[in-house]
Amino acid sequence: AAAAASASDNNNDGGGGGGGGGGDGLMHAAVYRAFHGPISVEQVAKPAPSHDGIVLQVKATGVCRSDWHGWCGHDSDIHDHGLPFIPGHEVAGVVAEVGRDVKRFQVGDRVAVPFILSCGACRECARAKPTVCESQQQPGFTLYGTFAEYVALPRADRNLTPLPPEVSYEAAAALGCRWTTAYRAIVQQGRLMNDGSESVAVFGVGGVGLSCVQIAAAHGAKTIIAIDTSEAARNKALQLGATATVDAGLGDEKLRAAVRALTECGIGCDLTVDAAGFTSTCEGAVYACRRAGRMVQVGLPLELRPVTP
């Protein structure tokens, strides 16, 4: 009970109501109390729904590099929210409680959740760009996150999506962040042609990088090159649609030459994506582009000082 009280000191996300995994009004959650500090499973107050939100029983939640950035203190939203904090933002689950103004959902519904809970009223939402909403809410950043048995999610009617029974919670949990990010990178910002003529190189094939490979394959890319230091990651990329892989451990010059050699006439790729956020991957993605090609920065760069042409 003491842990629950202290973990809720700075809680702007609602509390109380209903039964939790740890007892009446409580639930289990992963909590950190200092940036770079230990993360421990504790009993904390179970949240209550806002008037336009729900409480979701978490059935699956992913681990994203953005969670690591948040834990390191790189995200100002978590500083503004205050510690202690519950991370996590890739989630799917079952509606456990509903707010009084929610119309589209009821207790027991299976739902998928986007990482960005947009407002629907700002300039960007009016331009059909909810992922850059000017008044966005984010579990795991502006709100307590999904590494918990339950999470409170506002703006439910606008943002949540019913989950068909044939889609697993695990698959749906990845939709709201890594696949959304990949779609925006490959199709919207990267403007990949869907006529089977273009080449794509993805630097870093972790969660979001593999999603970029999948989106590129689904959108008809002719050549998809996956670059990573991990052989297991490269092999997974081949399973998910990559046509070739390159070991990022080759070194900058050999790596760039290897990627170009896999493209038509060795001219470089139509579209490249840095899905890792390191200086070497950013530089590599730029150098791998053909003349008038497109490079999209996806990985969050920290103190990035790339040397580019």
Side-chain angles (χ1 to χ4, degrees):
S6 60
S8 301
D9 288 344
N10 295 311
N11 186 357
N12 299 316
D13 310 326
D24 187 26
L26 300 178
M27 67 175 183
H28 290 101
V31 179
Y32 61 83
R33 299 173 176 279
F35 295 120
H36 292 278
I39 300 176
S40 59
V41 176
E42 304 178 9
Q43 283 190 344
V44 302
K46 181 185 173 186
S50 61
H51 71 95
D52 64 349
I54 66 151
V55 172
L56 185 75
Q57 182 183 12
V58 175
K59 292 295 187 178
T61 185
V63 179
C64 175
R65 186 171 173 84
S66 295
D67 297 314
W68 176 83
H69 282 297
W71 172 77
C72 288
H74 299 158
D75 193 288
S76 62
D77 287 329
I78 299 177
H79 287 271
D80 292 342
H81 181 284
L83 300 177
F85 197 68
I86 301 170
H89 60 277
E90 297 185 339
V91 68
V94 175
V95 176
E97 297 182 59
V98 297
R100 65 179 182 274
D101 295 330
V102 174
K103 306 299 183 185
R104 294 181 56 222
F105 300 98
Q106 59 187 4
V107 172
D109 286 348
R110 302 170 79 248
V111 295
V113 182
F115 167 38
I116 304 296
L117 302 174
S118 62
C119 70
C122 70
R123 176 181 54 185
E124 298 301 336
C125 285
R127 296 168 63 195
K129 295 185 176 180
T131 57
V132 288
C133 171
E134 296 171 343
S135 183
Q136 59 189 252
Q137 294 290 313
Q138 305 168 1
F141 295 93
T142 65
L143 307 167
Y144 277 167
T146 62
F147 291 178
E149 292 182 280
Y150 296 89
V151 61
L153 301 169
R155 303 170 175 172
D157 282 344
R158 172 173 172 80
N159 290 286
L160 273 57
T161 301
L163 186 61
E166 64 269 21
V167 179
S168 70
Y169 292 115
E170 292 81 3
L175 287 173
C177 178
R178 64 187 71 182
W179 271 322
T180 302
T181 302
Y183 182 84
R184 182 164 173 78
I186 296 294
V187 178
Q188 295 182 331
Q189 297 297 96
R191 305 186 305 280
L192 177 67
M193 301 289 288
N194 63 354
D195 60 1
S197 67
E198 291 202 312
S199 56
V200 179
V202 180
F203 286 75
V205 284
V208 71
L210 289 171
S211 299
C212 285
V213 168
Q214 289 180 291
I215 295 294
H219 206 65
K222 179 180 180 180
T223 302
I224 304 171
I225 307 166
I227 301 101
D228 204 288
T229 56
S230 166
E231 182 179 6
R234 298 195 304 271
N235 289 338
K236 188 67 175 178
L238 289 172
Q239 295 174 20
L240 296 178
T243 59
T245 67
V246 176
D247 184 355
L250 289 175
D252 291 343
E253 294 300 325
K254 290 183 178 180
L255 169 59
R256 295 165 189 171
V259 172
R260 286 182 171 271
L262 291 166
T263 65
E264 185 177 0
C265 301
I267 64 172
C269 290
D270 298 290
L271 170 63
T272 64
V273 176
D274 173 13
F278 301 111
T279 297
S280 60
T281 52
C282 177
E283 291 176 355
V286 172
Y287 278 100
C289 269
R290 65 163 174 82
R291 188 183 296 269
R294 292 96 63 198
M295 181 272 188
V296 179
Q297 184 67 44
V298 173
L300 181 62
L302 291 174
E303 300 179 359
L304 189 63
R305 299 293 184 270
V307 178
T308 57

